[in-house]
Amino acid sequence: MQEPEAEHTFKGNLSVLDVVMITASGVTPASSIFVIAPLAIASAGSGAFLSFLVAALVAAAIALCYAELGAAHPSAGGEYSIIKRLFGTLCGLQTYLFILSASLFVPAVLATGAVPYLNTALGTHFDASTAGMLTVLVGGACAIFNIKANALLTGAFLVVEVAVLALIAWLGFSNPHQSGEILAAPVMLDLQGVLSPVSLPPIVAMVGVALFSYNGYGAAVYMAEDMREQGKPMALAIMLTLFIVVLVELVPFTALLIGSPSLSEMARQADPVGYVVTQLGGATLARVVSGAIYLSVFNAIIAIVAQFSRMMFSSGRDGFWLPAVNRALKIIHPRFGTPWVATLLFGVPSALLAFCSNLGDLTSFTVILLLLVYIIMAIAALISRRRRRFHHPYLMPLWPLPVVIALIACLYVLWTISIASSLKDFIIIAGIVCFGLTLSYMRGRQPAPLAEPTPEGE
């Protein structure tokens, strides 16, 4: 195979820890606690704890699929490159469009949702759309810089984020107002405003929401070509990221439930987490925590743009677009060693979406797309090991049990969500599929292997 041109390759100077810091920052655990957890509490009461616990087990099975596949097929294209390699260009392109559609507006939604916390911390009244756009633009600009510098920056922010979550955990566990029974025998407000036992359906329904809050650990695969060593180190990065994410989300979430002075009052609050922090730590601490939430979102935007710009780079390298677009996406900054054009083409549209995005836009169709990608990756984990021409430096334990668990769980959650989804969700997904088919027809089928470094032993 002809060697890739120097200007179209990465420097490969990231360690496992660097990748973990960037990837965990993209998950933004603090935002999951302050944005996703309140939705789960409102829908399932203290039963949300069981939802997050079950989701952690399912996420572990999914992460094992990502770990084996990421080690065997290292590429900046991540999931779509893996799927393309195993099932062909059309399937790879469709996977790419699913991921891109779900991820493009996430920075805008996170940023606009974080502006109220910035206003609380500073006592200001910034417009959510304008401040959100500027947040994405500045975060995206930071993503252009050297990836090693970004790893250090996101790592520093991640330390602050984890410290705040640790503080919340300490507040809750050191000031317990509820017994552990609310976790094993969960309760929630009924229609009469009285705490009553939670039935199983709401708990199961919130497993999908909890999976979404953990989502992002698999994004480590986009950093494969930036790593000093590939193979098992990639698998380690994915599993270590998931462990950190689950730990720093589940522990403070549990502490908030245990430390809540009143579960009834907590359930009535628009910001139940802020209510508990204010009650246990005071208004000043609540402002400090609000500032930390905004910083965690800014940190997440840097990580998200850095990750998905590499996926866009890889799509140009694989010739998914028109020739001029492909050439632009493949350009690597001569000084920083990053795909700066791909970074701009991802970051700028996402920033502009701040003017038409809000937290309500994070609708069920995004979760449906996420589950579809998980299902595709689980099927790939079944197929890849049977393709003997691919070297697998990391093999998941108890294969294929984790794959089967991931498949069954994702299919069940997908079925549950689909029943409650609106027609609009299916129209959007159908539009994405039609666009993929049209683009594939225009560009023609490309069965050739990816233009990427060949894994050792293949």
Side-chain angles (χ1 to χ4, degrees), residues 149-161:
N150 274 326
L152 295 175
L153 178 62
T154 55
F157 276 126
L158 184 62
V159 169
V160 175
E161 184 175 349

PDB file of all heavy atoms in Angstrom, residues 149-161:
ATOM      1  N   ALA A 149      -1.653  19.837  23.521  1.00  0.00           N
ATOM      2  CA  ALA A 149      -2.037  20.985  24.344  1.00  0.00           C
ATOM      3  C   ALA A 149      -3.503  20.890  24.729  1.00  0.00           C
ATOM      4  O   ALA A 149      -3.888  21.202  25.863  1.00  0.00           O
ATOM      5  CB  ALA A 149      -1.764  22.290  23.589  1.00  0.00           C
ATOM      6  N   ASN A 150      -4.335  20.438  23.787  1.00  0.00           N
ATOM      7  CA  ASN A 150      -5.749  20.274  24.089  1.00  0.00           C
ATOM      8  C   ASN A 150      -5.972  19.204  25.150  1.00  0.00           C
ATOM      9  O   ASN A 150      -6.867  19.321  25.995  1.00  0.00           O
ATOM     10  CB  ASN A 150      -6.530  19.904  22.815  1.00  0.00           C
ATOM     11  CG  ASN A 150      -6.963  21.128  22.031  1.00  0.00           C
ATOM     12  OD1 ASN A 150      -7.270  22.157  22.616  1.00  0.00           O
ATOM     13  ND2 ASN A 150      -6.964  21.025  20.724  1.00  0.00           N
ATOM     14  N   ALA A 151      -5.168  18.149  25.108  1.00  0.00           N
ATOM     15  CA  ALA A 151      -5.288  17.103  26.118  1.00  0.00           C
ATOM     16  C   ALA A 151      -4.970  17.653  27.508  1.00  0.00           C
ATOM     17  O   ALA A 151      -5.654  17.340  28.484  1.00  0.00           O
ATOM     18  CB  ALA A 151      -4.348  15.940  25.779  1.00  0.00           C
ATOM     19  N   LEU A 152      -3.935  18.488  27.586  1.00  0.00           N
ATOM     20  CA  LEU A 152      -3.586  19.089  28.877  1.00  0.00           C
ATOM     21  C   LEU A 152      -4.662  20.062  29.344  1.00  0.00           C
ATOM     22  O   LEU A 152      -5.023  20.109  30.526  1.00  0.00           O
ATOM     23  CB  LEU A 152      -2.238  19.811  28.753  1.00  0.00           C
ATOM     24  CG  LEU A 152      -1.023  18.912  28.464  1.00  0.00           C
ATOM     25  CD1 LEU A 152       0.223  19.761  28.231  1.00  0.00           C
ATOM     26  CD2 LEU A 152      -0.799  17.940  29.613  1.00  0.00           C
ATOM     27  N   LEU A 153      -5.207  20.868  28.393  1.00  0.00           N
ATOM     28  CA  LEU A 153      -6.241  21.844  28.744  1.00  0.00           C
ATOM     29  C   LEU A 153      -7.510  21.151  29.208  1.00  0.00           C
ATOM     30  O   LEU A 153      -8.060  21.480  30.270  1.00  0.00           O
ATOM     31  CB  LEU A 153      -6.533  22.743  27.538  1.00  0.00           C
ATOM     32  CG  LEU A 153      -7.638  23.801  27.725  1.00  0.00           C
ATOM     33  CD1 LEU A 153      -7.253  24.779  28.828  1.00  0.00           C
ATOM     34  CD2 LEU A 153      -7.894  24.545  26.411  1.00  0.00           C
ATOM     35  N   THR A 154      -7.983  20.183  28.420  1.00  0.00           N
ATOM     36  CA  THR A 154      -9.196  19.481  28.809  1.00  0.00           C
ATOM     37  C   THR A 154      -8.981  18.674  30.087  1.00  0.00           C
ATOM     38  O   THR A 154      -9.895  18.525  30.897  1.00  0.00           O
ATOM     39  CB  THR A 154      -9.681  18.543  27.683  1.00  0.00           C
ATOM     40  OG1 THR A 154      -8.622  17.648  27.319  1.00  0.00           O
ATOM     41  CG2 THR A 154     -10.109  19.324  26.458  1.00  0.00           C
ATOM     42  N   GLY A 155      -7.758  18.159  30.257  1.00  0.00           N
ATOM     43  CA  GLY A 155      -7.455  17.433  31.481  1.00  0.00           C
ATOM     44  C   GLY A 155      -7.542  18.317  32.708  1.00  0.00           C
ATOM     45  O   GLY A 155      -8.063  17.911  33.753  1.00  0.00           O
ATOM     46  N   ALA A 156      -7.045  19.555  32.588  1.00  0.00           N
ATOM     47  CA  ALA A 156      -7.105  20.499  33.706  1.00  0.00           C
ATOM     48  C   ALA A 156      -8.551  20.841  34.052  1.00  0.00           C
ATOM     49  O   ALA A 156      -8.944  20.861  35.231  1.00  0.00           O
ATOM     50  CB  ALA A 156      -6.325  21.767  33.356  1.00  0.00           C
ATOM     51  N   PHE A 157      -9.358  21.109  33.017  1.00  0.00           N
ATOM     52  CA  PHE A 157     -10.774  21.402  33.244  1.00  0.00           C
ATOM     53  C   PHE A 157     -11.488  20.195  33.842  1.00  0.00           C
ATOM     54  O   PHE A 157     -12.375  20.328  34.688  1.00  0.00           O
ATOM     55  CB  PHE A 157     -11.455  21.802  31.933  1.00  0.00           C
ATOM     56  CG  PHE A 157     -11.297  23.262  31.584  1.00  0.00           C
ATOM     57  CD1 PHE A 157     -10.791  23.635  30.351  1.00  0.00           C
ATOM     58  CD2 PHE A 157     -11.647  24.248  32.481  1.00  0.00           C
ATOM     59  CE1 PHE A 157     -10.640  24.973  30.017  1.00  0.00           C
ATOM     60  CE2 PHE A 157     -11.510  25.593  32.167  1.00  0.00           C
ATOM     61  CZ  PHE A 157     -11.002  25.957  30.929  1.00  0.00           C
ATOM     62  N   LEU A 158     -11.103  18.991  33.377  1.00  0.00           N
ATOM     63  CA  LEU A 158     -11.739  17.775  33.879  1.00  0.00           C
ATOM     64  C   LEU A 158     -11.461  17.585  35.360  1.00  0.00           C
ATOM     65  O   LEU A 158     -12.337  17.130  36.105  1.00  0.00           O
ATOM     66  CB  LEU A 158     -11.242  16.569  33.082  1.00  0.00           C
ATOM     67  CG  LEU A 158     -11.877  15.221  33.430  1.00  0.00           C
ATOM     68  CD1 LEU A 158     -13.377  15.247  33.153  1.00  0.00           C
ATOM     69  CD2 LEU A 158     -11.215  14.093  32.633  1.00  0.00           C
ATOM     70  N   VAL A 159     -10.256  17.931  35.794  1.00  0.00           N
ATOM     71  CA  VAL A 159      -9.925  17.843  37.220  1.00  0.00           C
ATOM     72  C   VAL A 159     -10.848  18.740  38.031  1.00  0.00           C
ATOM     73  O   VAL A 159     -11.367  18.342  39.090  1.00  0.00           O
ATOM     74  CB  VAL A 159      -8.448  18.219  37.452  1.00  0.00           C
ATOM     75  CG1 VAL A 159      -8.168  18.384  38.941  1.00  0.00           C
ATOM     76  CG2 VAL A 159      -7.529  17.160  36.859  1.00  0.00           C
ATOM     77  N   VAL A 160     -11.090  19.970  37.549  1.00  0.00           N
ATOM     78  CA  VAL A 160     -12.006  20.891  38.232  1.00  0.00           C
ATOM     79  C   VAL A 160     -13.411  20.312  38.263  1.00  0.00           C
ATOM     80  O   VAL A 160     -14.104  20.353  39.288  1.00  0.00           O
ATOM     81  CB  VAL A 160     -12.000  22.269  37.537  1.00  0.00           C
ATOM     82  CG1 VAL A 160     -13.044  23.185  38.159  1.00  0.00           C
ATOM     83  CG2 VAL A 160     -10.623  22.903  37.610  1.00  0.00           C
ATOM     84  N   GLU A 161     -13.842  19.764  37.125  1.00  0.00           N
ATOM     85  CA  GLU A 161     -15.183  19.187  37.031  1.00  0.00           C
ATOM     86  C   GLU A 161     -15.367  18.034  38.015  1.00  0.00           C
ATOM     87  O   GLU A 161     -16.380  17.957  38.723  1.00  0.00           O
ATOM     88  CB  GLU A 161     -15.408  18.701  35.595  1.00  0.00           C
ATOM     89  CG  GLU A 161     -16.786  18.170  35.306  1.00  0.00           C
ATOM     90  CD  GLU A 161     -16.956  17.825  33.831  1.00  0.00           C
ATOM     91  OE1 GLU A 161     -16.083  18.191  33.028  1.00  0.00           O
ATOM     92  OE2 GLU A 161     -17.972  17.193  33.510  1.00  0.00           O
TER      93      GLU A 161
END
